């Protein structure tokens, strides 16, 4: 569960930790384990970027914001980080975009330093979820 958490939030790409993992057959099922090295977790800028996304993406989104995001990506391939910060996609703000990244609807390359021209893309087949009523 620990590794799944870190992988889900982009701190460990699956292909990096699966090479250090193994599995044992126990009864009818299979037990899997993974070894996570401190160097993988603390690599920059990945750690700094993941912390930023986690910090801002804590609140669930309303149905209205999810619909706004869905419509926004019908007409655009990607959003620019600077435009999100400037409020160009209002009412969608940084905390909403970060939440959509955590929910696997949007993709942000955490291995690259986040800057004004950083592209935020929709994950093909990504489903909008986690909405709350206002």
């Amino acid at each position: 569960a620990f590794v799944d958490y870190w992988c889900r939030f982009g701190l460990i790409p699956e292909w990096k930790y699966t090479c250090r993992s193994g599995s044992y057959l126990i009864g009818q099922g299979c037990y899997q384990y993974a070894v996570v090295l401190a160097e993988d977790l603390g690599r920059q800028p990945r750690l700094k970027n993941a912390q930023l996304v986690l910090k801002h993406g804590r609140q669930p989104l309303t149905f209205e914001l999810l619909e706004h995001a869905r419509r926004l990506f019908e007409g655009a391939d990607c959003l620019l980080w600077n435009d999100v910060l400037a409020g160009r996609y209002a009412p969608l703000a940084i905390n909403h975009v970060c939440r959509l990244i955590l929910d696997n609807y949007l993709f942000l390359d955490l291995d690259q330093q986040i800057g004004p021209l950083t592209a935020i893309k929709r994950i093909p087949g990504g489903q909008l979820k986690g909405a709350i009523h206002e």
Side-chain angles (χ1 to χ4, degrees):
F2 174 78
V3 172
D4 291 336
Y5 172 84
W6 286 98
C7 182
R8 181 169 184 261
F9 294 117
L11 289 172
I12 309 168
E14 271 188 66
W15 69 88
K16 297 247 175 162
Y17 80 82
T18 52
C19 64
R20 296 186 183 115
S21 66
S23 61
Y24 293 105
L25 190 62
I26 300 175
Q28 297 288 341
C30 182
Y31 170 78
Q32 295 185 338
Y33 68 93
V35 176
V36 180
L37 301 179
E39 302 90 55
D40 292 337
L41 293 176
R43 229 179 37 239
Q44 296 296 344
R46 175 178 282 278
L47 179 61
K48 182 180 172 187
N49 294 342
Q51 288 171 334
L52 177 98
V53 171
L54 285 170
K55 175 184 173 186
H56 291 287
R58 296 201 181 273
Q59 295 297 321
L61 301 178
T62 63
F63 286 112
E64 292 81 12
L65 284 169
L66 290 172
E67 180 61 17
H68 180 75
R70 187 187 67 75
R71 289 183 184 193
L72 187 62
F73 276 95
E74 281 181 350
D77 292 332
C78 69
L79 307 178
L80 295 179
W81 187 257
N82 196 43
D83 291 342
V84 172
L85 294 178
R88 180 169 178 222
Y89 306 112
L92 208 61
I94 184 173
N95 56 327
H96 307 127
V97 169
C98 288
R99 183 61 198 204
L100 291 170
I101 292 169
L102 292 176
D103 286 341
N104 293 323
Y105 183 72
L106 299 180
F107 171 79
L108 174 68
D109 187 359
L110 296 176
D111 286 324
Q112 304 299 320
Q113 184 66 39
I114 296 176
L117 298 178
T118 300
I120 303 164
K121 300 178 181 179
R122 183 178 180 271
I123 296 174
Q127 299 294 317
L128 290 171
K129 58 186 174 189
I132 60 169
H133 294 284
E134 267 192 351

